[in-house]
Amino acid sequence: MNEWLTTVMAEPAVLVTVAIVEGSGPREPGARMLVTAGGQVDTIGGGHLEMCAVDVGRSMLKSAARTGEGVPARLERYALGPTLGQCCGGVVHLAFELIDASLADVMASLRRRWREDSWRLSAIDGTPVSLLLDADGAVVGGEGDAAIAGDAAVFGPAFPVIDHQRGTHILRDTAGRRWLADPCLAPRAHLLLFGAGHVGAAIVRMLGELPCTVTWIDEREDMFPPSIPANVTVEATDAPEALVAAAPAGASYLVMTHSHALDQRLSEAILSRADVGWFGLIGSKTKRVQFERRMAARGLPQERIAAMVCPIGIAGITNKLPAAIAASVCAQLLMVWEAQQIATLDLTVPVRLASSR
């Protein structure tokens, strides 16, 4: 996930960010890609818009190579229907930033902080300035301390509040200078996946491309593949119930071990918690009935038992290939996680520029 960030460029590049979308667009604000002289990494949606963005990015690279100096950032407006002939019909504003030493430092800091919330601030007008703020507004990457202190004086106490509701957007400071405010938030979705069999492995491969974190659990250490996605943590343990007890509130759980008895124990441990975000159990309707009966006999609340998802996957997909099951389950998880994100959207957390490092 986030190839624009995880790919360390060995050649000059321009970072393109979807800053504003009015109406319908191919990607959401905050979508990003890198443009180099001979290629690109990631996507802002493809089509004519992306072709135009690549042209602008390469024009900036040529200008920088010709003058040997930095190139100011740009904010370009594209009317998708009238100008580009795209069916979306909306208007997209793209921010273009040459990756100089300051922005490269911001991106390196983001790679280290990918499990923490950050905000990227980049000057659109005037001298290029790139800053990285933590969730409290303290500068944790970007320009040197002297430059940061100077810009902090420009911002002053009247610098606009950045909030999670707006997401990626354009701000103006007290001097009228435009800034790109770009949240780079840690993945909110966390899954505890019990079982390292074929289906579990297929699910992990797919989730490795999505904005989430996964704890992958099995007692059989030799079942885990040698290569694991960066957002996955492996736990080889004989006491998986302990990981259920230690899981964060609101986590999702997916149980698909090699043992029905272990599935039963894990299901009971999960449903004993009152703060489960989502729980899926692999199996048939018959398995669900058996598990429901046993859990009810042990006194588990009926409303929690009813919330258990079994069988798993979205309706209409009956293919039993591991990859097909994984596609169905990952689609189901994405729907759950997006609904949770909307329901818990924090509209009140302000971010202001705080003291420098």
Side-chain angles (χ1 to χ4, degrees):
M1 65 181 179
N2 293 336
E3 288 184 86
W4 69 273
L5 181 61
T6 57
T7 303
V8 180
M9 305 304 298
E11 58 182 316
V14 168
L15 175 62
V16 184
T17 304
V18 178
I20 303 170
V21 177
E22 301 166 358
S24 178
R27 287 292 304 274
E28 70 286 351
R32 311 168 188 92
M33 74 174 184
L34 298 175
V35 176
T36 66
Q40 69 182 77
V41 176
D42 231 320
T43 178
I44 56 167
H48 198 179
L49 175 66
E50 189 161 292
M51 292 174 59
C52 290
V54 169
D55 288 343
V56 171
R58 289 178 180 161
S59 174
M60 292 175 66
L61 291 170
K62 289 178 182 177
S63 178
R66 183 173 60 252
T67 63
E69 299 177 355
V71 176
R74 296 170 59 172
L75 184 67
E76 300 288 343
R77 178 184 183 275
Y78 298 90
L80 301 181
T83 305
L84 302 183
Q86 292 192 206
C87 295
C88 299
V91 176
V92 175
H93 300 247
L94 301 179
F96 296 83
E97 304 168 73
L98 182 70
I99 299 181
D100 56 10
S102 177
L103 182 51
D105 181 73
V106 165
M107 294 173 70
S109 298
L110 274 173
R111 284 190 284 271
R112 294 190 296 270
R113 290 175 49 85
W114 75 275
R115 291 179 184 268
E116 302 175 71
D117 287 350
S118 304
W119 285 82
R120 200 170 62 84
L121 278 179
S122 291
I124 299 297
D125 305 313
T127 304
V129 178
S130 296
L131 305 175
L132 187 68
L133 313 181
D134 66 14
D136 297 320
V139 177
V140 293
E143 292 277 358
D145 289 343
I148 292 171
D151 282 294
V154 172
F155 291 150
F159 185 74
V161 173
I162 306 168
D163 63 62
H164 289 234
Q165 182 184 25
R166 295 191 66 186
T168 300
H169 57 288
I170 300 297
L171 295 172
R172 290 185 182 271
D173 62 25
T174 53
R177 188 181 190 184
R178 294 177 300 171
W179 293 78
L180 172 68
D182 187 24
C184 302
L185 305 180
R188 284 342 193 220
H190 180 69
L191 175 70
L192 280 80
L193 172 56
F194 297 88
H198 296 297
V199 176
I203 290 172
V204 163
R205 287 194 294 270
M206 290 188 183
L207 292 181
E209 299 291 327
L210 297 172
C212 64
T213 55
V214 180
T215 301
W216 194 12
I217 306 146
D218 200 296
E219 61 187 15
R220 304 163 297 172
E221 189 169 3
D222 60 341
M223 291 292 293
F224 296 107
S227 179
I228 303 294
N231 61 339
V232 177
T233 300
V234 163
E235 291 281 355
T237 177
D238 293 327
E241 293 95 332
L243 294 173
V244 174
S252 300
Y253 303 81
L254 190 53
V255 173
M256 47 179 59
T257 78
H258 60 290
S259 164
H260 275 217
L262 179 56
D263 284 356
Q264 179 80 46
R265 297 204 317 267
L266 288 169
S267 298
E268 292 174 5
I270 293 165
L271 294 181
S272 294
R273 295 190 55 152
D275 56 0
V276 172
W278 181 86
F279 166 42
L281 170 68
I282 197 167
S284 63
K285 293 180 180 179
T286 301
K287 181 177 179 179
R288 179 189 182 99
V289 170
Q290 292 174 346
F291 275 44
E292 284 182 335
R293 187 181 303 118
R294 294 168 188 166
M295 289 187 287
R298 287 167 171 78
L300 286 169
Q302 187 57 47
E303 64 272 15
R304 294 186 197 169
I305 297 174
M308 176 180 70
V309 177
C310 180
I312 54 175
I314 58 177
I317 297 178
T318 59
N319 193 311
K320 300 301 183 183
L321 283 171
I325 297 172
S328 178
V329 172
C330 288
Q332 186 175 37
L333 285 168
L334 281 176
M335 290 190 291
V336 169
W337 290 339
E338 288 193 10
Q340 290 173 347
Q341 184 177 10
I342 292 171
T344 61
L345 186 63
D346 185 357
L347 308 182
T348 62
V349 180
V351 179
R352 293 185 183 275
L353 187 68
S355 57
S356 61
R357 291 170 291 181

